[in-house]
């Protein structure tokens, strides 16, 4: 376990994330121009879609079915467990609880990528079709969480605009679009773009995590504002959700790598798709709460400690 | 050169509102707009974007009546929950009928 | 602080005109300018760029006479065929002689 | 023929273009920041220049001569045929006819690249020096088309500024500059930058076509405005010009791949160099007409159907 | 809609000054600002950047007294050695207390 | 010697620089969007840091010690020699002399990269830990040069802000950060990001030099303003400093490639870190002088002639 942890902490992507945080702490003028951030995220999302799609094109449907159902079920369940914990234990008002639940039910693509990459290095390759599961996990939780509010009351925000924001949002379009392109053009098609989308991937991810560190560092300033409960929530909830997902993934027939990556996905909290949808649909929810929790607490936790933990657990169960 | 005095209304708002604001402007009678990507700080520290601080500035030249309508619309719908400011200035334009 | 009132002339135009407009400003007596990349919509939908909607905003602080000259020049040479608007506002500056 | 077509339609670059169109249709917020578009186009133009130049450096002049003369001749001819068709059959006014003719005489670098890439996959490699022909095809047509207007009348727009706009425009500078760098530094020089400029090429092209799809979709809205004649013109004219170029290319000694790629080049309509020059020189021409025709009709047509057609024709003649 | 007239102070300065100017604004009493990346030319051709010509434009809505303080501060500390201009305009805002 | 020179002049990176200058001279609209410039410089600095750090991780400390001490010594010496020459021979005022001395004492990362790349092609590989020396050379000279002014007088500019500007400036953060990441994750870690950060390097550098050419061309316009003395200074001083560094590098045990690269580093003048620091600390210094000298004279000189010269010298001494 300890050597898994160390291997993770000394990987270029985790170190790059740390460099980003440090750069901000020493008030460096290092910053990524916004177009570079956008370019990297377009690239990363399309790349994982393409690879996943090409893989799907030669995977029998039966193999994917059970993992897909498990993923969907978790996508419906985790926003509800999050909501209940926030309301009952955290004594949070309904709106903010639902807003945070939407984030923790949905998924962070970068956490997924980091987990997959970590698995590769450990020799615990996840199934190639995992990106399809990411696409499935992204949307339902946000819908469920918003329903928790809109089902009860007539409400300011716009439910339909929020939904459109997720469904036609760039992360879903790129991921699903990449999956379809990869599926249709197949392994042969992927080979043409391999040097760009596959070989360059980990380096681009390193650069992206440097930027993530710069952004997350700004959220760290707000840690005090959000209170101890939310800090604890941002660490404990991922462990619970992640462990459950590892177990269910194993049960659904995923490999050790696959279950661990599913664990990381389910444990992760969205900070791109969910915030945009929630801001539109639940404008009165406080962004400091949900952004700080997902980006300032859960993301760094998963990146540094969570991912090795889910792998250790998956190994223990399935290895 | 014959100039007319109209109103330049400027809105600075968090980016997530861009589409809605532009739609509202059109409905309220604006005939055009100019949009700039800006950043900024005000009383609200954070917004729904990992890119906090990134805003849009929307400028539109309109008749005084339309200006009032726009300001009222924004005050009513957005001041409470969103990071947004709005202000107006008189400007001299040529081809005044282009804007009304 | 001793301030002087001058004119701030703002031009929003399709990007292909940038070089020409800056040259014209210089010739008409402007001593400086500030340029912003913007986008926008108005009465003309399309322009000569796969990047329709991308405009430049050029602001220049000048004396009232130069302001008139600039507005006239633009009205005469560009209003007919190009996507361009121009407007003027009074501004208070210090070091007034810097701009005239 | 049908399998060539299908292979093309299922290539990642065509699918990426389709994804861009779909993203716009569903009103997704997916958009490329302008600097990314510029970076990709700088990269693509310089890359094809470099490869072409390195190839030229070990090609005997005699081999290039006839294809070059054919290209120049087509660059003078196609704006004139376009102009005549637009005036006589389309009953278009002189200014708009000349503006559109400038676009259809000139060349779209992306169509060229797509054709070349398609040839590679089909095993019908085009000659390595084709990029030099692209550079030759870009400028003359615009000059000829502008002359059709300026020869007759005293005119608003600036002829010299328009010409400078093309000659010193970034697409000519990057393409010709790349050719010269490639030529001077030779195969040895190219090898140093190969992983960046050669291996990454197709992936970068895929990304670029996604963006092209986003842009072209905006032009599709204007299809109704331009009328049936121009839609037909945007499909029939490329077929005619392209077929002629395939035949002449074959006659000039080009391989099957080379003739087909020449066909695609000549069939293509410019949407970068020509619009900028025409906007300056013929401001009263209506951009909706020439941009919609070249970007909304001819580019998608060539990408999806034209390119396989020219290859089928070249195969039939020369194979 | 009840509007109040305040001052919009605009500063255009070479980018290296950004951090200092924002700090100064806060100290002088500004409650917010909007920042745009711009380029421009004026009397000073060159500045300390391989990206000569790249400036920031900082706009802040403040009370007339704060506006005076800002203009004075900039005139005193930056006019001599740096590429910087500053100007002020009246603007009508709603929620006037937000800015003072 | 002549063939070394020719090989250098015909390398893609030097030709790309020339293309940038020419594009500006013919008033082309070719320009790099600022985010692309920033992206490339983030990439290049991080990449050389990573490679250097991975190399350091398996280099015995003893091997690095003497070269490191020599580098530090040169970083203290060269601003002083520059200052003295500017004051005594150039009759320049104290402020401008110190400002220029800060630039010539510090280092241009791009010149370093170009020299290292040139060595690779010549088969004269420099030591892998050279990037660590670049990081060491960047800061001291600026401190020394500022001290020459601040030691004597009470002064407008802010000494501490200027220092923070260098130490927490993005070039130092990326270079040192890259070194640390490379060192901690080691050769194994570097391998993961190799296709992105290592294989793509020379191509990205070519693109960057095209942009450098565009920027340097603007400085060339100011050559007349700065006077003959400074033009001479910008050529002679690098030769003197560079030759001294080659000799000392050889003495410190560096290989032929290593001594030559050290020569190029010491000969080079900063145009990113130093200008920012000097503008803050010595606002009354004239930027036209220091930017034109370092970017308009010394950078092109080193790129075209200096680098082959230092290699020829190193070969002659150590080969
Ligand atoms: N006093 C001000 N002057 C100029 N811009 C402001 C001011 N206050 C707020 N803004 C802009 O309006 C945005 C939203 O303001 P707020 O709702 O106060 O956070 C800020 O991010 C700034 O871009
Ligand atoms: N009413 C308006 N208010 C603000 N900006 C405008 C307005 N009308 C036009 N513009 C700007 O001026 C550009 C050219 O306008 P037009 O010639 O009407 O297409 C547009 O793209 C907008 O950026
Ligand atoms: N007359 C002017 N109108 C508008 N902007 C100006 C004017 N003069 C200077 N500027 C802006 O202020 C910056 C600094 O001006 P300067 O100190 O004159 O070089 C310039 O780069 C321009 O962006
Ligand atoms: Na989750
Ligand atoms: Na053509
Ligand atoms: Na030096």
């Amino acid at each position: 376990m300890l050597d898994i942890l160390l291997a993770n902490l000394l990987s270029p992507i985790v170190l790059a994330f740390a460099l980003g945080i440090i750069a901000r702490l020493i008030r460096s003028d290092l910053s990524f121009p916004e177009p570079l951030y956008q370019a990297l995220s377009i690239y990363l999302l399309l790349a994982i879609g393409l690879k996943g799609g090409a893989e799907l094109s030669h995977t029998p449907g039966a193999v994917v079915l059970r993992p897909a159902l498990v993923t969907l079920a978790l996508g419906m369940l985790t926003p509800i467990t999050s909501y209940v914990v926030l309301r009952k234990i955290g004594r949070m008002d309904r709106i903010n609880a639902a807003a945070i639940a939407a984030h923790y039910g949905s998924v962070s693509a970068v956490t997924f990528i980091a987990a997959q990459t970590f698995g590769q290095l450990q020799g615990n390759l996840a199934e190639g079709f995992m990106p399809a599961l990411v696409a499935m996990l992204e949307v339902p939780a946000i819908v469920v969480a918003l329903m928790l509010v809109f089902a009860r009351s007539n409400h300011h925000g716009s439910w339909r605009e929020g939904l459109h924001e997720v469904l036609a949002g760039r992360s879903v379009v790129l991921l699903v679009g990449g999956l379809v392109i990869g599926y249709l053009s197949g392994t042969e098609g992927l080979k043409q773009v391999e040097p760009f989308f596959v070989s360059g991937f980990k380096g681009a991810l390193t650069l992206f995590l440097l930027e993530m560190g710069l952004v997350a560092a700004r959220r760290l300033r707000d840690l005090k504002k959000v209170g101890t409960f939310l800090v604890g929530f941002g660490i404990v909830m991922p462990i619970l959700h992640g462990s459950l997902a590892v177990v269910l993934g194993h049960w659904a027939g995923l490999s050790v790598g696959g279950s661990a990556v599913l664990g990381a996905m389910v444990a992760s909290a969205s900070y791109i798709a969910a915030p945009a949808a929630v801001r539109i649909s639940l404008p009165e929810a406080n962004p400091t709460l949900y952004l700080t929790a997902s980006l300032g607490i859960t993301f760094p936790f998963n990146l540094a400690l969570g991912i090795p933990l889910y792998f250790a657990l998956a190994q223990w169960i399935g290895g | 050169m014959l100039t007319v005095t109209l109103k330049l209304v400027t809105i600075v708002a968090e980016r997530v509102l861009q589409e809605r604001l532009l739609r509202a402007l059109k409905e309220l009678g604006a005939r055009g707009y100019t949009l700039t990507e800006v950043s900024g700080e005000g009383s609200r520290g954070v917004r729904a974007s990992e890119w906090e601080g990134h805003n849009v500035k929307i400028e539109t030249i309109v008749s005084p009546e339309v200006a009032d309508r726009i300001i009222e619309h924004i005050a009513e719908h957005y001041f409470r929950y969103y990071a947004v400011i709005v202000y107006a200035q008189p400007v001299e334009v040529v081809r005044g009928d282009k804007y009304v």
Side-chain angles (χ1 to χ4, degrees), chain A, chain B:
Chain A
M1 173 73 208
L2 249 179
D3 48 328
I4 288 194
L5 186 62
L6 201 72
N8 187 49
L9 290 179
L10 293 184
S11 75
I13 59 176
V14 175
L15 291 171
F17 182 74
L19 177 59
I21 291 183
I22 292 168
R24 185 69 68 198
L25 292 184
I26 62 173
R27 294 193 299 116
S28 167
D29 67 347
L30 174 63
S31 73
F32 275 45
E34 196 182 340
L36 176 56
Y37 162 82
Q38 288 177 12
L40 285 171
S41 61
I42 290 172
Y43 168 87
L44 292 173
L45 287 165
L46 199 60
I48 59 170
L50 285 171
K51 274 187 288 181
E55 199 70 33
L56 264 186
S57 74
H58 59 76
T59 307
V63 175
V64 191
L65 186 67
R66 264 166 92 186
L69 290 178
V70 161
T71 305
L72 275 180
L74 286 164
M76 322 279 261
L77 178 72
T78 53
I80 296 178
T81 52
S82 304
Y83 183 79
V84 170
V85 168
L86 289 161
R87 292 281 288 155
K88 301 286 155 182
I89 309 185
R91 308 247 142 258
M92 205 166 264
D93 64 290
R94 186 168 298 147
I95 301 278
N96 277 308
I100 300 175
H103 289 71
Y104 279 81
S106 185
V107 58
S108 139
V110 179
T111 307
F112 160 71
I113 298 173
Q116 214 191 21
T117 307
F118 181 71
Q120 265 169 40
L121 297 178
Q122 291 289 313
N124 272 323
L125 233 67
E127 277 75 5
F129 57 74
M130 299 302 288
L133 304 187
V134 176
M136 284 177 171
L137 194 54
E138 189 146 25
V139 179
I142 301 177
V143 178
V144 169
L146 295 186
M147 267 167 46
L148 292 172
V149 171
F150 283 84
R152 297 189 184 226
S153 56
N154 226 328
H155 186 269
H156 275 94
S158 164
W159 155 257
R160 287 183 52 224
E161 283 189 56
L163 195 64
H164 181 263
E165 196 76 26
V166 214
L167 283 176
R170 66 190 168 100
S171 44
V172 169
V173 166
L174 287 166
L175 197 52
V176 174
L179 280 167
V180 173
I181 295 178
Y183 186 84
L184 290 178
S185 63
T187 325
E188 205 47 44
L190 185 67
K191 214 187 288 165
Q192 302 169 38
V193 296
E194 192 141 16
F196 187 81
F197 282 112
V198 180
S199 314
F201 192 79
K202 267 172 229 159
L205 181 61
T206 305
L207 216 49
F208 192 75
L209 275 156
L210 174 53
E211 161 69 353
M212 290 286 303
L214 292 167
V215 173
R218 278 187 293 214
R219 294 268 61 79
L220 289 179
R221 290 185 313 209
D222 288 334
L223 272 192
K224 270 185 212 140
K225 284 194 214 158
V226 303
T228 342
F229 169 73
L230 208 53
V231 175
F233 177 89
I235 292 172
V236 174
M237 215 65 205
I239 299 182
L240 295 181
H241 284 159
S243 305
L244 178 63
V246 170
V247 173
L248 289 181
H250 177 66
W251 171 82
L254 288 175
S255 66
V256 167
S259 323
V261 169
L262 184 68
M265 280 160 56
V266 172
S268 73
S270 167
Y271 41 81
I272 298 183
V278 165
R279 189 74 181 127
I280 289 290
S281 308
L282 304 176
E284 62 275 60
N286 182 353
T288 304
L289 297 181
Y290 53 75
L291 280 178
T292 306
S294 73
L295 195 55
I297 302 166
T298 300
F299 178 70
F301 167 74
N302 275 327
L303 189 68
L305 306 176
I307 291 176
L309 184 70
Y310 312 131
F311 270 91
L313 183 63
Q315 192 105 49
W316 185 70
I317 296 178
Chain B
M1 201 81 248
L2 187 81
T3 62
V4 187
T5 299
L6 292 174
K7 287 271 173 160
L8 171 66
V9 177
T10 304
I11 305 164
V12 181
E14 52 185 299
R15 206 168 281 179
V16 82
L17 298 180
Q18 177 174 329
E19 292 307 317
R20 298 168 146 208
L21 289 172
L22 294 182
R23 238 181 295 139
L25 287 189
K26 203 169 264 178
E27 282 162 23
L28 296 167
R31 305 284 297 272
Y33 67 88
T34 296
L35 186 147
T36 316
E37 302 196 345
V38 299
S39 57
E41 268 182 45
S43 53
R44 278 172 206 270
V46 91
R47 58 215 48 196
S49 152
E50 72 285 29
W51 294 103
E52 51 168 320
H54 277 108
N55 294 336
V56 289
K57 175 159 111 179
I58 300 172
E59 291 167 304
T60 183
I61 297 175
V62 291
S63 67
E65 299 77 47
V66 173
D68 282 348
R69 283 212 292 273
I70 291 173
I71 293 174
E72 246 165 79
H73 176 88
I74 285 174
E76 191 178 319
H77 289 80
Y78 298 103
F79 273 2
R80 181 125 173 246
Y81 295 123
Y82 293 106
V84 57
I85 64 169
V86 58
Y87 53 88
Q89 291 161 280
V91 286
E92 296 159 48
V93 301
V94 274
R95 297 187 298 178
D97 50 326
K98 185 177 187 327
Y99 304 96
V100 293

